[in-house]
């Protein structure tokens, strides 16, 4: 039966705690969206376990499965198109989204980054490296950013940001935990905002 729920795909490489937070918020708040697909470059990951527990289709897609990068890109675009995906949410996806996918989904791919972009973004700025760089720079605060994905790493339009304080004596791990908790609240709010902006 047709409904007006937006069809989501989530791309993950790891635990997928942001994916979990998004799914919980969608169900609790009645956000008009539904995960149709969880895609990963890894054959096994925490995100897949969660997807399987919730009846969400999983798809392992890696360059290594194809003869060329072009075939890999085409397969990814096709997988998204045949499922009628409206919006892609990156949640700890540790690969560059292929240009063909970005071109096929303009303004329809979001990412969450564990810092206040445009600072502490770009190539090499992922995981614990981000938080170590924030501390090394002596910042008084950090936070999380949800942004639109374009061809350049961490450079797309900022949709929403939220700040957290840097505490005296913070380690990169302690800061990472504080930022991740902030991400879990921010990503669902940003999703709601995008759905309102793109009726
Ligand atoms: C998050 O810190 C996110 O900002 C970054 O990757 C991490 C993913 O964590 N892009 P999880 O898999 O959602 O737990």
């Amino acid at each position: 039966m047709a409904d007006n729920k937006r069809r989501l795909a989530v791309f993950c490489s790891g635990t997928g705690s942001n994916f979990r937070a998004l799914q919980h918020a969608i169900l609790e708040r009645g956000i008009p969206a539904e995960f149709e697909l969880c895609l990963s470059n890894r054959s096994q990951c925490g995100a897949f376990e969660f997807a399987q527990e919730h009846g969400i289709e999983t798809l392992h897609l890696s360059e290594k499965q194809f003869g060329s990068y072009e075939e890999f890109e085409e397969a990814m675009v096709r997988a998204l198109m045949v499922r009628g995906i409206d919006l892609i949410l990156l949640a700890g996806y540790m690969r560059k989204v292929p240009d063909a996918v970005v071109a096929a989904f303009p303004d329809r791919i979001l990412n969450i980054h564990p810092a206040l972009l445009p600072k502490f973004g770009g190539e090499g700025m992922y995981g614990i490296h981000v938080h170590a760089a924030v501390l090394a720079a002596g910042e008084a605060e950090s936070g999380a950013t949800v942004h639109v994905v374009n061809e350049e790493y961490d450079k797309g339009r900022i949709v929403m940001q939220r700040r957290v304080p840097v505490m005296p004596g913070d380690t990169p791990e302690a800061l990472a935990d504080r930022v991740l908790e902030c991400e879990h609240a921010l990503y669902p709010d940003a999703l709601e905002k995008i759905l309102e902006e793109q009726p």
Side-chain angles (χ1 to χ4, degrees):
M1 203 171 77
D3 59 32
N4 62 356
K5 285 187 182 171
R6 228 61 71 76
R7 299 173 67 83
L8 309 178
V10 65
F11 287 18
C12 300
S13 301
T15 324
S17 70
N18 276 290
F19 169 34
R20 291 162 201 248
L22 284 161
Q23 170 71 356
H24 286 134
I26 286 169
L27 298 179
E28 267 171 29
R29 299 188 204 170
I31 297 173
E34 195 163 356
F35 282 109
E36 302 295 335
L37 181 66
C38 176
L39 182 147
S40 182
N41 56 302
R42 297 179 54 195
S43 58
Q44 288 183 330
C45 58
F48 270 5
E49 284 169 26
F50 179 79
Q52 281 150 8
E53 283 161 22
H54 287 78
I56 297 164
E57 185 188 358
T58 58
L59 180 64
H60 169 220
L61 217 50
S62 153
E63 283 175 62
K64 293 178 198 139
Q65 298 161 326
F66 298 89
S68 70
Y69 190 76
E70 287 68 32
E71 285 173 49
F72 164 64
E73 285 190 301
E74 279 166 26
M76 192 181 283
V77 171
R78 213 169 31 247
L80 296 161
M81 293 294 193
V82 296
R83 290 166 178 83
I85 298 300
D86 298 308
L87 190 63
I88 300 166
L89 302 173
L90 308 185
Y93 183 62
M94 301 300 284
R95 288 280 185 282
K96 190 173 190 297
V97 177
D99 287 348
V101 175
V102 176
F105 290 86
D107 264 333
R108 302 273 167 175
I109 309 176
L110 299 182
N111 181 41
I112 189 157
H113 184 78
L116 297 172
L117 292 175
K119 287 169 110 175
F120 306 107
E123 211 138 3
M125 278 292 161
Y126 62 89
I128 209 71
H129 303 295
V130 178
H131 307 293
V134 168
L135 294 180
E139 297 286 321
E141 54 185 13
S142 188
T145 304
V146 174
H147 66 95
V148 171
V149 172
N150 60 18
E151 302 75 19
E152 283 187 281
Y153 263 124
D154 300 332
K155 291 276 176 63
R157 176 173 72 86
I158 290 174
V159 176
M160 208 179 260
Q161 284 186 314
R162 201 157 291 163
R163 292 164 192 279
V164 302
V166 171
M167 302 295 213
D170 254 350
T171 59
E173 290 76 16
L175 181 58
D177 287 348
R178 196 173 310 122
V179 171
L180 189 61
E181 200 180 322
C182 166
E183 291 180 41
H184 295 163
L186 177 68
Y187 216 169
D189 289 351
L191 171 63
E192 279 196 297
K193 181 175 180 217
I194 279 284
L195 295 182
E196 281 161 20
E197 281 176 10
Q198 300 181 343

